[in-house]
Amino acid sequence: MNSSPVDASASDASSMPQKRFSNLRSVRWRIDLGVLPSSPPASIDDIRRVTADTRRRYANLRRRLLIDHHSPKYGKASPDLTVDNPLSQNPDSTWGRFFSYAELGKMIDQDLSRLYPEHSGYFHTPICQALLRRILLLWCLQHPEYGYRQGMHELLAPLVYVLHFDLDHLTQVQKLYEDFFSDEFDKISFPEGDFLSSHRIRRVKNWESGIEIENNLHKITNDHSRDELDPDTREMLLLSDSYGAEGELGVILSERFMEHDAYFMFENLMFGDQGVVSMASFFSPVAGSNSNLPPVIEASSALYYLLSIVDSSLHSHLVELEVEPQYFALRWLRVLFGREFCLDDLLVIWDELFYSSNSRYLDNDVEFNFEVLCSPRGAFIAALAVSMLLYVRSLLLATETATTCLQRLLSFPQNPDMKKLIEQAKSLQVLALESNILSSSCQTYSNKNQLTICRGYSLPSASALPKTSLNVIADRYWEEQWRVLHKDEELRKQSNGHLSSSGIMKKILTKRLSFSRTNSEPFEGNNAHALSSVRRRLFDDSSEVIEAAKDHVKSECNESPVISNNLNVGKGFPEELADQRTSNCMVEETFLSGHNALVVSTPTSPHDIGNDHENESEKSSITSNSFLGDNDEETISMEESCSQNKQDEESTNMEEPCCQNLDKQLAQDAEATSSGDVDSIPEQIAAPKDQKPFAGKFQWLWRFGRGSKEENQESKRSQNAGHIQKDGFDISQCDGTYASCGINKRIEVGDKKVMDTIRNLGQSMLEHIQVIETVFQQDKSKFDPLDNLSNNILGGKGQGTAIAALKELRKISSLLREM
Amino acid sequence: MVLVLAIGDLHIPHRAPDLPAKFKSMLVPGKIQHILCTGNLCIKEVHDYLKSLSPDLHITRGEYDEDVRYPENKTLSIGQFKLGLCHGHQIVPWGDLDSLAMLQRQLDIDILVTGHTHQFKAYKHEGGVIINPGSATGAYSSITYDANPSFVLMDIDGLRVVVYVYELIDGEVKVDKIDFKKTATTQSAH
């Protein structure tokens, strides 16, 4: 639906079946602005009738307001001279009105003399100037609360230009098919008496047609009937036919009524046709109804808000330099970018702009951030502004002071790539629309943000606008979880040094997992900062984990097979480390490349490595199964060994075979893992904070194998409970192990915990569901099939995270099923 | 739509301290394009005040004016009309229509503005208009008793001139209007 081409003026109507009159900009714009009926399919006759009505209204208005106060008013007794004399102070007197008109006229004349000097051949002719002046004067008189503000003339000028352009087009077509258009018989033309006819070729039509008879290159002879005309020309014929509905007054492309048409186009543009964006409000300093700010200031903040979502580094740079948005946005918004682009480019932009509807698409009770973003047209304006900012991004980032930055902003490059700008604007438009809605759970947060935003971005806190509201919730939730678990960890520290430390290990793991889960939350833009910080935390954690495990294992094993295993472990750990790192790097790559990647939220589990293809998930499940198989043997052997060994050594033993499994796993997955950014690994090796044993999940297995020591079990339970809610896959895997081991003692162990587990599982399910919801909300309107995948970075990421969340849900549900 | 103010014989400070307050409130800058002042201001301050009302000020010399450089007669053209200005004390008998008509023919003008009598008069005479705006302050005159403050505002629009007369009678401003239309330009006899 949104696939309208950028340059509509030259294209054929048939290429865009949904856009009528695509080659007649004035008609198209009149429909888009609401002057002409758009309810499809309005017939030409209907359009003509509406046109005639509007023209009558304008004529009345003109007659009424530009009164000639000399003419005696019929039905009015001799005017009261004390009121009606020229020096009267009374503003209602005709003279008072005369003087106010004169003042307005002077202001308007001043502006008009400076209008479009590069097109002065058209705009500075006395006829055109008089026309523009009259229209502006009448509009200002009709709406005295707005008065005349500088810039209104620049909104009007392209409208008049477009009307004139179409008339020229019409004359060309008329020349070509003159037999159908002309009223001439016997080669006698009837003078039209139009004021612009001196500028047109029509006057010399007879002379030229005489010459063309000889050439006969382009002239269509009389043999052709009307039906043989192509649809465009036929349409033109109907639009300019003097004999259609409403006769002369209904001729849609009419020179005589150019003023009337331009007036109504201008009026509808200024008032937005009862839509959201009304240009008139941009000119008034009066505060809008929603916020305490004038609408243009609010719109400027809206565009900064959008920029912060899309490109927060540029945004923060601008805020740092204290470049308030209204410094440059005022000019951009008030004349709808008329000063930044040349006239031809501007027409293309306005095509797109008017094509977006102006009606409010939110219900009245839905809270929103910015008034201006409530309609697609407003969102397009903001999106175009942001895409313009992004276009000169490098220039802006290079500036050091506010003045140079503003200089660069106010002198936008001469011939930008319009196609690119507009495409980007269209994609950002949807984003703007979505980000405008506040979900109910984040009300206060967003309100707080709105306040900071509305303070005009003078506070640096405004620049710290985070990704999305959902992220905030997610962070808080997971942090909370971590804190809860951390408390347990503290408790256990006293009771049981080794085991508690293993518990701590588990906590670290879960923390890591939780952060990685945050990673998979949807975020709207290339929020490199947050992402890298999160990733760094992940790396640190994993380094801690691995280092600690390494040390621990090294310190505690005392048997030769153990030692040999240890060597393996020693080898395995760096590999594991690498593996973890690569997996994390994979995560990074995935997000940056924007492929439809499966970002699985548990990169710590060695089988769940971020992959590029969906079938790899199957592979990972296969490997996990194989792991299970391995575990089987290991568990059995473990059981035997466990019963023999002491607790300490058991745990060690537990880890070793598990590490062995890990080794095997690594070997299996070696080819699966693409060697991501291994370079970043060396830097990440940080000193471990604690001596924590590795692979808390294997504790689970150990516990099952062991089946004893209540207090440990207690601690394990809480650990495991925490563990379960974070790592669904591991649970299912462990559960599989449990089932395969066939040890039924577990039942009473797990029973009490089942309740808690289920509760926690439910909560995590809810989280995942929320994730998916937001992702698909973003995706729903901007889902571009296939072609735009490369451009659709956000969609790709969103899809990836959605799929990840779905996987988690699936795991959890399977787990619940088994319980 | 050209507004021309015809004013004179203020005799400030000798015979009157200032313009009446009501007149002053009406005369605001920006509305009037030309001022024709018949004379007898008498001092420079009045000249400056009138200058502030409109940049285009024309004054002729009255017998009590302190600035001796003002001319005796002045002619100018506004729109389709030719206007002439004279104080009037030179034309004897003072205020006599035929004598003033002589001056009009002499200067070859359509509208003649004179003063000195301190009494408002407007004649349509021989295809032309002779206007006497009276005294803006209602200053004492030896030939007129109980002169009311008055002045004249002309609205020249094409071939038509509308004369608004503002008079202060019993403390109230009274306005009157007279329409003059110029016939198609006649050949001037030389």
Side-chain angles (χ1 to χ4, degrees):
Chain A
M1 193 192 56
N2 284 337
S3 56
S4 47
V6 168
D7 181 21
S9 59
S11 57
D12 204 13
S14 55
S15 66
M16 293 175 296
Q18 67 271 25
K19 228 191 186 191
R20 246 180 125 188
F21 305 116
S22 56
N23 52 345
L24 291 174
R25 252 204 188 112
S26 70
V27 188
R28 183 72 235 155
W29 282 13
R30 270 184 275 175
I31 292 179
D32 283 337
L33 287 170
V35 179
L36 293 179
S38 64
S39 52
S43 73
I44 297 272
D45 274 351
D46 285 339
I47 296 180
R48 288 176 70 109
R49 276 190 209 101
V50 173
T51 315
D53 275 338
T54 58
R55 286 171 183 170
R56 276 191 205 105
R57 283 196 349 239
Y58 178 73
N60 278 337
L61 184 73
R62 187 167 64 173
R63 223 174 284 145
R64 188 164 49 90
L65 284 181
L66 286 185
I67 50 164
D68 180 13
H69 49 269
H70 281 309
S71 56
K73 292 186 173 52
Y74 305 107
K76 191 178 174 187
S78 61
D80 181 14
L81 275 176
T82 44
V83 174
D84 246 353
N85 64 77
L87 294 178
S88 154
Q89 314 287 19
N90 194 331
D92 287 335
S93 72
T94 49
W95 279 98
R97 261 182 283 153
F98 168 78
F99 282 117
S100 53
Y101 297 179
E103 248 182 75
L104 269 177
K106 236 194 309 186
M107 264 203 290
I108 294 173
D109 279 333
Q110 236 182 348
D111 274 345
L112 285 179
S113 62
R114 292 180 291 198
L115 174 69
Y116 277 122
E118 64 268 16
H119 295 278
S120 65
Y122 176 67
F123 285 113
H124 286 246
T125 57
I127 302 162
C128 188
Q129 291 259 309
L131 184 126
L132 292 170
R133 186 179 188 278
R134 248 198 321 271
I135 295 174
L136 286 168
L137 194 63
L138 282 176
W139 190 87
C140 295
L141 294 176
Q142 184 75 331
H143 303 281
E145 66 272 15
Y146 291 104
Y148 177 75
R149 297 262 181 278
Q150 190 181 30
M152 292 183 178
H153 66 298
E154 300 213 13
L155 283 176
L156 176 61
L159 301 176
V160 172
Y161 181 76
V162 148
L163 280 166
H164 183 84
F165 187 86
D166 276 350
L167 285 168
D168 272 349
H169 184 60
L170 177 68
T171 43
Q172 281 170 19
V173 174
Q174 280 175 338
K175 230 173 22 129
L176 224 42
Y177 296 94
E178 54 180 272
D179 295 325
F180 297 105
F181 284 96
S182 74
D183 253 349
E184 287 182 15
F185 300 96
D186 308 327
K187 298 288 184 220
I188 302 172
S189 69
F190 295 93
E192 297 262 358
D194 295 324
F195 56 77
L196 275 181
S197 33
S198 54
H199 291 261
R200 289 182 9 186
I201 312 164
R202 206 166 183 188
R203 270 283 157 79
V204 291
K205 192 171 83 130
N206 286 335
W207 173 74
E208 280 193 351
S209 64
I211 293 179
E212 275 184 24
I213 286 171
E214 287 145 32
N215 290 349
N216 218 4
L217 278 172
H218 303 288
K219 189 174 185 307
I220 314 294
T221 63
N222 272 328
D223 301 337
H224 294 230
S225 71
R226 198 188 256 219
D227 293 330
E228 288 183 19
L229 289 175
D230 64 285
D232 277 347
T233 321
R234 207 176 318 146
E235 211 166 51
M236 292 271 255
L237 187 63
L238 289 172
L239 290 176
S240 65
D241 186 15
S242 317
Y243 299 106
E246 297 274 8
E248 283 273 353
L249 198 60
V251 174
I252 295 176
L253 295 171
S254 156
E255 187 178 19
R256 232 170 106 197
F257 301 109
M258 221 165 91
E259 192 179 328
H260 306 60
D261 296 334
Y263 178 82
F264 273 102
M265 283 171 82
F266 182 66
E267 158 115 358
N268 275 27
L269 174 62
M270 289 300 270
F271 282 114
D273 192 24
Q274 283 119 40
V276 172
V277 175
S278 76
M279 298 309 301
S281 66
F282 280 179
F283 283 99
S284 93
V286 176
S289 54
N290 190 43
S291 66
N292 300 329
L293 298 171
V296 69
I297 308 286
E298 204 207 4
S300 319
S301 347
L303 89 88
Y304 253 30
Y305 170 68
L306 186 60
L307 179 67
S308 68
I309 295 174
V310 173
D311 186 355
S312 71
S313 55
L314 178 60
H315 175 261
S316 46
H317 177 78
L318 287 173
V319 172
E320 232 179 272
L321 291 184
E322 292 183 14
V323 174
E324 301 242 346
Q326 48 266 30
Y327 293 159
F328 58 91
L330 201 80
R331 192 172 88 170
W332 287 8
L333 296 173
R334 274 195 175 171
V335 275
L336 283 182
F337 311 102
R339 283 275 178 94
E340 320 303 321
F341 299 101
C342 68
L343 188 57
D344 297 313
D345 285 342
L346 185 70
L347 295 181
V348 170
I349 290 180
W350 281 24
D351 271 342
E352 231 15 84
L353 211 142
F354 295 149
Y355 187 66
S356 324
S357 108
N358 201 18
S359 46
R360 177 186 289 260
Y361 77 108
L362 292 175
D363 296 327
N364 279 336
D365 51 351
V366 175
E367 294 267 337
F368 51 83
N369 262 332
F370 296 101
E371 174 80 17
V372 74
L373 293 180
C374 281
S375 82
R377 191 176 291 175
F380 184 81
I381 294 174
L384 183 63
V386 171
S387 77
M388 282 166 76
L389 285 171
L390 293 176
Y391 191 82
V392 286
R393 185 175 191 270
S394 46
L395 288 174
L396 294 178
L397 285 174
T399 61
E400 293 288 317
T401 65
T403 37
T404 44
C405 189
L406 276 172
Q407 260 170 15
R408 295 217 173 140
L409 279 170
L410 291 173
S411 57
F412 201 72
Q414 274 303 313
N415 287 313
D417 183 0
M418 292 308 302
K419 224 177 157 74
K420 193 172 123 193
L421 265 179
I422 293 188
E423 287 300 320
Q424 193 175 23
K426 279 201 274 198
S427 61
L428 290 174
Q429 175 188 18
V430 186
L431 170 62
L433 285 171
E434 292 303 325
S435 69
N436 198 27
I437 307 172
L438 300 177
S439 55
S440 53
S441 57
C442 325
Q443 205 73 334
T444 49
Y445 168 78
S446 312
N447 282 342
K448 181 164 58 90
N449 259 358
Q450 191 172 5
L451 283 172
T452 38
I453 292 162
C454 289
R455 267 195 288 255
Y457 278 84
S458 50
L459 308 168
S461 62
S463 66
L465 266 181
K467 319 98 193 174
T468 58
S469 39
L470 196 61
N471 255 352
V472 174
I473 279 199
D475 280 344
R476 282 203 222 113
Y477 173 75
W478 296 118
E479 278 167 13
E480 212 182 280
Q481 290 303 316
W482 181 82
R483 252 177 257 123
V484 165
L485 298 167
H486 198 73
K487 255 185 256 147
D488 292 2
E489 160 201 342
E490 294 296 340
L491 280 169
R492 253 164 278 114
K493 236 186 182 156
Q494 300 120 21
S495 61
N496 195 330
H498 168 76
L499 290 167
S500 61
S501 53
S502 59
I504 292 166
M505 175 47 91
K506 183 168 278 171
K507 291 311 143 288
I508 299 294
L509 236 176
T510 54
K511 182 174 76 168
R512 190 160 50 140
L513 293 176
S514 71
F515 282 128
S516 68
R517 181 141 315 180
T518 315
N519 225 359
S520 72
E521 294 292 353
F523 56 90
E524 312 294 294
N526 304 325
N527 227 328
H529 300 305
L531 188 52
S532 55
S533 64
V534 168
R535 237 176 285 125
R536 223 161 280 132
R537 270 179 291 176
L538 276 167
F539 287 157
D540 288 343
D541 287 345
S542 61
S543 70
E544 283 171 45
V545 165
I546 305 303
E547 287 295 308
K550 217 194 305 185
D551 295 345
H552 173 78
V553 169
K554 278 193 191 137
S555 64
E556 297 217 10
C557 54
N558 45 15
E559 285 182 44
S560 51
V562 178
I563 290 168
S564 62
N565 279 340
N566 201 13
L567 286 174
N568 268 346
V569 167
K571 231 194 336 178
F573 272 118
E575 275 184 58
E576 168 67 22
L577 184 68
D579 189 12
Q580 297 300 327
R581 295 283 158 71
T582 26
S583 70
N584 288 329
C585 297
M586 282 310 300
V587 171
E588 177 178 3
E589 272 179 35
T590 325
F591 280 111
L592 288 178
S593 65
H595 295 315
N596 256 346
L598 253 195
V599 178
V600 187
S601 62
T602 57
T604 55
S605 39
H607 7 271
D608 294 351
I609 296 169
N611 290 323
D612 282 80
H613 311 290
E614 283 182 50
N615 50 11
E616 297 254 24
S617 71
E618 295 167 322
K619 197 174 189 181
S620 55
S621 54
I622 292 167
T623 51
S624 68
N625 286 335
S626 63
F627 183 60
L628 285 176
D630 288 345
N631 258 357
D632 281 350
E633 310 155 28
E634 297 307 299
T635 324
I636 294 165
S637 64
M638 264 179 338
E639 280 180 16
E640 294 162 3
S641 57
C642 279
S643 54
Q644 297 159 21
N645 297 340
K646 273 183 283 180
Q647 204 176 345
D648 295 6
E649 289 177 354
E650 272 164 8
S651 65
T652 318
N653 279 337
M654 264 301 303
E655 286 154 50
E656 294 147 29
C658 298
C659 298
Q660 259 180 343
N661 293 332
L662 217 55
D663 271 354
K664 287 197 194 118
Q665 200 56 47
L666 285 172
Q668 281 160 0
D669 283 334
E671 70 273 23
T673 318
S674 57
S675 62
D677 233 356
V678 191
D679 300 332
S680 64
I681 294 166
E683 59 164 56
Q684 298 296 340
I685 296 178
K689 291 186 190 134
D690 295 317
Q691 297 239 342
K692 287 154 195 153
F694 169 69
K697 57 179 169 259
F698 300 108
Q699 295 287 331
W700 179 279
L701 291 169
W702 167 83
R703 187 169 64 104
F704 286 157
R706 194 83 172 72
S708 57
K709 277 251 170 133
E710 288 306 319
E711 64 162 336
N712 292 340
Q713 300 226 326
E714 278 300 325
S715 52
K716 290 303 171 299
R717 254 180 244 140
S718 52
Q719 292 169 22
N720 290 332
H723 174 63
I724 286 167
Q725 78 195 43
K726 301 301 187 293
D727 200 346
F729 183 86
D730 284 341
I731 292 162
S732 56
Q733 162 231 317
C734 295
D735 220 27
T737 315
Y738 161 63
S740 63
C741 288
I743 299 166
N744 294 325
K745 269 195 267 182
R746 247 58 57 210
I747 297 170
E748 73 266 18
V749 168
D751 241 359
K752 185 189 173 258
K753 277 301 125 191
V754 165
M755 291 304 131
D756 286 1
T757 316
I758 289 175
R759 219 176 296 128
N760 293 328
L761 280 174
Q763 205 156 10
S764 59
M765 279 178 81
L766 189 61
E767 290 301 315
H768 291 303
I769 290 167
Q770 277 178 346
V771 164
I772 296 170
E773 270 176 10
T774 30
V775 166
F776 280 111
Q777 221 179 356
Q778 294 155 15
D779 277 354
K780 95 174 159 228
S781 52
K782 70 185 271 286
F783 181 68
D784 276 349
L786 305 174
D787 358 318
N788 283 348
L789 258 185
S790 54
N791 292 340
N792 221 346
I793 296 171
L794 299 165
K797 275 187 202 145
Q799 275 183 347
T801 52
I803 293 167
L806 274 170
K807 275 201 63 98
E808 293 304 313
L809 276 175
R810 217 175 293 137
K811 289 172 198 164
I812 294 165
S813 64
S814 63
L815 175 67
L816 281 171
R817 236 180 295 124
E818 280 159 2
M819 274 199 166
Chain B
M1 248 354 81
V2 182
L3 289 178
V4 183
L5 178 70
I7 198 171
D9 288 321
L10 296 99
H11 286 281
I12 296 168
H14 307 126
R15 301 188 197 174
D18 200 0
L19 275 171
K22 296 210 164 156
F23 279 2
K24 263 203 149 153
S25 64
M26 287 172 79
L27 292 172
V28 292
K31 289 187 177 178
I32 300 162
Q33 275 82 49
H34 307 273
I35 300 185
L36 296 177
C37 185
T38 53
N40 273 347
L41 294 176
C42 305
I43 47 178
K44 190 177 178 300
E45 280 80 350
V46 184
H47 173 99
D48 292 338
Y49 167 72
L50 290 176
K51 194 86 185 191
S52 75
L53 293 181
S54 161
D56 193 30
L57 175 63
H58 305 273
I59 313 184
T60 48
R61 177 129 197 264
E63 72 269 41
Y64 287 100
D65 268 317
E66 301 210 344
D67 190 341
V68 296
R69 291 166 304 174
Y70 299 140
E72 296 281 317
N73 303 319
K74 210 159 193 196
T75 53
L76 63 150
S77 184
I78 295 173
Q80 303 279 357
F81 288 91
K82 288 189 288 216
L83 293 97
L85 187 62
C86 177
H87 178 246
H89 70 274
Q90 304 96 330
I91 297 154
V92 180
W94 293 336
D96 181 46
L97 178 61
D98 293 319
S99 314
L100 292 172
M102 262 193 339
L103 181 62
Q104 186 197 359
R105 283 190 298 273
Q106 190 177 3
L107 295 176
D108 190 24
I109 49 181
D110 301 310
I111 302 172
L112 176 64
V113 179
T114 53
H116 187 62
T117 58
H118 293 208
Q119 195 171 45
F120 164 72
K121 283 279 193 300
Y123 303 106
K124 205 191 275 189
H125 186 80
E126 291 173 3
V129 176
I130 295 169
I131 295 175
N132 188 328
S135 163
T137 50
Y140 168 80
S141 163
S142 52
I143 46 174
T144 312
Y145 300 111
D146 296 327
N148 285 317
S150 65
F151 67 90
V152 158
L153 185 68
M154 289 184 282
D155 175 20
I156 296 176
D157 190 20
L159 283 175
R160 190 169 152 226
V161 60
V162 182
V163 177
Y164 293 91
V165 183
Y166 294 82
E167 253 187 289
L168 192 71
I169 300 170
D170 296 330
E172 285 302 317
V173 178
K174 298 275 190 292
V175 189
D176 205 1
K177 186 167 102 166
I178 306 164
D179 258 314
F180 290 115
K181 238 194 198 79
K182 182 178 171 181
T183 52
T185 46
T186 50
Q187 298 280 352
S188 60
H190 273 287

